[in-house]
C-alpha cells in the first residue's frame, strides 16, 4: 500500500497523451513498443497456425495413403535357443528380414523388428506407402492433433521471438540514445545550476 502512494495511479496509454515534457524520442519509443507487440502476436499466431495446419495435413495424407500389409519372416530369428532367452524375457524385438507383396503385385524385402524366436514364414504386419516401400505406422488422429499442436506452438513461439527481440533491441538503442542526450544536456546545464544557487 505505501508503494502505491509513491508511484501514483497507473495511467493507461500515457505515451500518447499530450505532455509538454514529452520528446520526439518518447513518441518513437511508444510506436516501437506498440509495433513490436503487434508483430510479436501476429507472427506467433499466424506462423503457429500455419505450421500446425501443415503438419496436420501431412499426417492426414499419410493416414490416407499408408496401408498395412502382411509380410513373412524370411529366416529363423534368434531367441528360441537357451543362449538367447534373455531377449525373450526382456521383451525386446529383434531386426529380421521380411518379404511382402505390394498392392501392384511387386515383391519387396526389408528389415523390421519382430518377436524373438520367430520362425521362417511367420506373418507380421508392416506398413507400406503407395509404392510398396516400408514406412512407420501412421499416427492416429489424436496423435496427429497433439503433434501438430505442439509443433505449431514451438514454431509460433520461435517466430514471435524475432519481432520481440528486435523490438527490445531497438528500444534499448533508443534508451541509450536518450541517456546520451541527457548526459549532453546535463554537461551543458549542470554547471549553470551552481551559479543560480
Amino acid at each position: 500500500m505505501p508503494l502505491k502512494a509513491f508511484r501514483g495511479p497507473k495511467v493507461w496509454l500515457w505515451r500518447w497523451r499530450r505532455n509538454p515534457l514529452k520528446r520526439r524520442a518518447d513518441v518513437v519509443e511508444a510506436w516501437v513498443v506498440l509495433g513490436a507487440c503487434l508483430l510479436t502476436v501476429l507472427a506467433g499466431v499466424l506462423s503457429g497456425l500455419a505450421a500446425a495446419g501443415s503438419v496436420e495435413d501431412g499426417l492426414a495424407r499419410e493416414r490416407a495413403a499408408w496401408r498395412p500389409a502382411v509380410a513373412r519372416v524370411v529366416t529363423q530369428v534368434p531367441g528360441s535357443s537357451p543362449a538367447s532367452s534373455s531377449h525373450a524375457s526382456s521383451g525386446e524385438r529383434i531386426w529380421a528380414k521380411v518379404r511382402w507383396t505390394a498392392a501392384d503385385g511387386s515383391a519387396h524385402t526389408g528389415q523390421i523388428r519382430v518377436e524373438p524366436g520367430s520362425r521362417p514364414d511367420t506373418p507380421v504386419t508392416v506398413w507400406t506407402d503407395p509404392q510398396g516401400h516400408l514406412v512407420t505406422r501412421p499416427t492416429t488422429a489424436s496423435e496427429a492433433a497433439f503433434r501438430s499442436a505442439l509443433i505449431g506452438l514451438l514454431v509460433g513461439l520461435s517466430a514471435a521471438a524475432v519481432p520481440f527481440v528486435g523490438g527490445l533491441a531497438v528500444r534499448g538503442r533508443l534508451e541509450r540514445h536518450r541517456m546520451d542526450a541527457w548526459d549532453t544536456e546535463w554537461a551543458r546545464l549542470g554547471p549553470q545550476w551552481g551559479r543560480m544557487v
Side-chain angles (χ1 to χ4, degrees):
M1 189 73 172
L3 185 61
K4 191 170 185 178
F6 288 115
R7 281 189 175 170
K10 186 165 185 152
V11 179
W12 291 99
L13 302 174
W14 64 270
R15 292 179 187 268
W16 283 273
R17 290 179 177 243
R18 291 190 179 274
N19 185 337
L21 299 177
K22 185 166 61 175
R23 293 157 305 184
R24 184 173 165 267
D26 296 328
V27 175
V28 170
E29 183 178 351
W31 284 108
V32 165
V33 169
L34 179 64
C37 288
L38 289 176
L39 283 176
T40 298
V41 171
L42 284 176
V45 170
L46 294 179
S47 61
L49 289 174
S54 176
V55 170
E56 181 73 37
D57 290 344
L59 294 175
R61 280 195 302 274
E62 287 177 359
R63 278 196 307 278
W66 294 358
R67 295 282 176 244
V70 176
R72 303 278 176 182
V73 176
V74 175
T75 58
Q76 175 69 39
V77 178
S80 58
S81 67
S84 57
S85 61
S86 61
H87 289 294
S89 63
S90 65
E92 287 184 24
R93 298 174 72 98
I94 299 173
W95 287 102
K97 186 174 184 180
V98 295
R99 70 171 177 271
W100 68 95
T101 304
D104 62 1
S106 59
H108 294 272
T109 59
Q111 295 274 336
I112 65 164
R113 289 185 176 270
V114 298
E115 293 293 330
S118 295
R119 297 174 185 265
D121 212 35
T122 301
V124 291
T125 301
V126 296
W127 287 87
T128 61
D129 64 11
Q131 291 75 35
H133 301 120
L134 280 179
V135 293
T136 58
R137 179 185 63 83
T139 58
T140 64
S142 60
E143 291 170 342
F146 176 75
R147 187 182 297 179
S148 63
L150 183 62
I151 291 173
L153 179 67
L154 293 175
V155 169
L157 288 174
S158 299
V162 174
F164 181 76
V165 170
L168 286 178
V170 171
R171 189 173 180 202
R173 187 176 178 106
L174 289 171
E175 183 74 24
R176 282 192 303 276
H177 183 268
R178 181 170 48 240
M179 289 299 179
D180 291 343
W182 281 354
D183 286 343
T184 303
E185 282 293 307
W186 182 252
R188 188 173 62 87
L189 297 174
Q192 296 176 8
W193 280 27
R195 282 188 241 140
M196 291 180 193
V197 175

